[in-house]
Amino acid sequence: MTTSNLASKKVLVTGGAGFLGRQVIAQLQKAGAQLENISIPRSSTCDLRSLSACQDAVAGQDIVIHLAAHVGGIGLNQIKPAELFYDNLMMGTQLIHAAYEKGVEKFVCVGTICAYPKFTPVPFKEEALWDGYPEETNAPYGVAKKALLVQLQAYRQQYGFNGVYLLPVNLYGPEDNFNPQSSHVIPALIRKVYEAQQAGATQLEVWGDGTPTREFLYSEDAARGIIMAMEDYNESDPINLGTNSEVSIRDLVTLICRLMDFKGDVVWLTDKPNGQPRRCLDTAKAKEKFGFTANITLEQGLQNTIDWYRQHPE
């Protein structure tokens, strides 16, 4: 899809007002899309759990990028597993069906690495996606999102519908969700350290024992990968988006404390869940199929995120 070609395309970005969505809009414009041709349905006026809302949203669109999700960290997954399953399944499955019905040219679905089995050999290869059940704490969310991959593959097989499925690793960056009730690990830690500093606290409590490893992809890099796949990837196999490097939660906490100049002690709440033991993606396919590699280092990305949060603590 060339820049001049993209200039005339109408693009729907669900979740386009969100933390990743804003970066995707910016990358779309960089690739040649016109802002007036980009539609962003808002949940207040367009409930994507409703088929009629999905049909209205996709009418007249050439490309759909589905980012919208009801998502959060371990805490939210434990409290609201049913909502996370239902909301994500209904949004995605009806949007895909409506897009097929309305003749959308290309559907880009952003999935989740929560879909991978609990004990997946590291680094996670896309072929291992069906080798077991996801980690229990986020399985309802992961299974709901994984069902959308099956749907896209079935619609390609039966209808020739061009839908692609991407598996981004844990995302972070400026404008992330810093709400302690629903945030993921990096924004949660940044806020905790900031609030400890504001209160003059000498201790920082962190869930788990610090041994799990995670891989983190900066939101701007993720958005760039999504647009590259939109332009150049047209196959049924899912594709990982990540950095291909992992960091332990213990080392992550140490790094954030150093970048934020927090000198207190870290107290590990070992009675709290750790989540999946290790997460790190094999990212060779994204490089091979559409030339994507991550550019922003974890330290640089964290610094950018910390700087943004300090300016927007509310």
Side-chain angles (χ1 to χ4, degrees), residues 126-127 164 166 225 228-241 283-293:
E126 291 89 346
E127 296 78 18
V164 301
L166 306 174
M228 290 171 79
M230 180 198 78
E231 293 181 299
D232 295 320
Y233 184 63
N234 299 292
E235 297 174 33
S236 62
D237 290 338
I239 296 275
N240 289 333
L241 290 181
T283 55
K285 266 194 180 163
K287 186 174 184 181
E288 174 200 336
K289 296 291 186 180
F290 47 92
F292 173 74
T293 51

Side-chain angles (χ1 to χ4, degrees), residues 235-264:
E235 297 174 33
S236 62
D237 290 338
I239 296 275
N240 289 333
L241 290 181
T243 61
N244 193 220
S245 61
E246 60 187 315
V247 60
S248 73
I249 298 300
R250 190 172 288 272
D251 288 345
L252 176 69
V253 170
T254 301
L255 179 54
I256 289 173
C257 288
R258 175 167 69 76
L259 292 173
M260 296 184 74
D261 199 30
F262 177 73
K263 302 283 202 277

